[in-house]
Amino acid sequence: MGVLNVTPDSFSDGGRFTDLEAAVQHGISLFRAGADIVDVGGESTRPGAERVDAATEAARVVPVIEGLAAAGVPLSIDTSRAAVAEAALAAGAVVINDVSGGLADPAMATVAAAAGCPWVLMHWRGHSRDMQRLAVYQDVVAEVRDELRARADAAIAAGVDPGRIILDPGLGFAKNPEHNWALSAHLDVLIDLGFPVLFAASRKTYLGRLLAEPDGTPRPVPGREAATLATSLLAAASGAWGIRVHQVRETADALAVWRATGSPRLKKTQNS
Ligand code: PMM
């Protein structure tokens, strides 16, 4: 899954793709570089971000989706608003990617059930403005697993086909770096819930912290690509269904190497 953010303030591509033609061209290049799906988002979810209204969000994404759908690019809509998802599906998107797992907008389940499209339910505890305050866990892996299972159960109860549900640990969303690493190490626990799992670590802050300078300065976004590749490949080897990244070509190359070597799975350690 290639990331196409059409927000002026997205942390990782710095709002470079807000111009319609540039956004469509970038989406096409992600597709040509090997993305099976291009994920179009019009609301920044970086920690601390303020929300935009639904009309602004829809106005950002719908023309880009129309342009990319016309070019034959399979698209997901990265939104937690039902009205935006509905407009995006009408414009040609085929997957809903909801970072709130259906919690932000109760009408999302109705839209997903009616559309019958795949729905990514990401683990989420609250809006970006104050989500880091919610990064409190006794056992992050078990709690994320249980909260994701509850979201899947709620979706199914609302009429969503279980075969259309995809789960995502929500790296960086109400998680500190230790939480993200624990979830990366125990992705199998989420996979054991029986749904495909999407893994989205690309360029995230915790990778910058891992690679910080001796004085603690985090590695800036452009220097996080090798770490993104490493963690993406480990996720694939753990059984992730999909990998959401900004740099598609490099990820596709790494996955090609993994496939050529027989798609080896990581062995579970005795006490994991
Ligand atoms: N992270 C971001 C946005 N959308 N969607 C899913 N399913 N999972 C994620 O972890 C996720 C997401 C954060 O920002 P970015 O678009 O710049 O990567």
Side-chain angles (χ1 to χ4, degrees), residues 9-12 43-51 99 122 124 126-135 170-177 180 202-206 209 221 224:
D9 64 339
S10 172
F11 78 91
S12 49
E43 181 179 40
S44 173
T45 49
R46 77 186 151 70
E50 293 293 333
R51 300 205 76 190
V99 298
M122 196 194 81
W124 183 88
H127 286 290
S128 302
R129 195 177 47 240
D130 55 7
M131 67 182 171
Q132 289 316 111
R133 185 173 57 75
L134 305 167
L171 300 170
F173 287 79
K175 319 265 177 342
N176 64 33
N180 296 323
S202 188
R203 299 181 176 172
K204 287 194 172 167
T205 304
Y206 76 106
R209 296 246 176 91
V221 166
R224 299 177 190 168

Side-chain angles (χ1 to χ4, degrees), residues 156-167:
I156 294 163
V160 173
D161 176 351
R164 297 306 220 177
I165 292 173
I166 297 153
L167 301 179

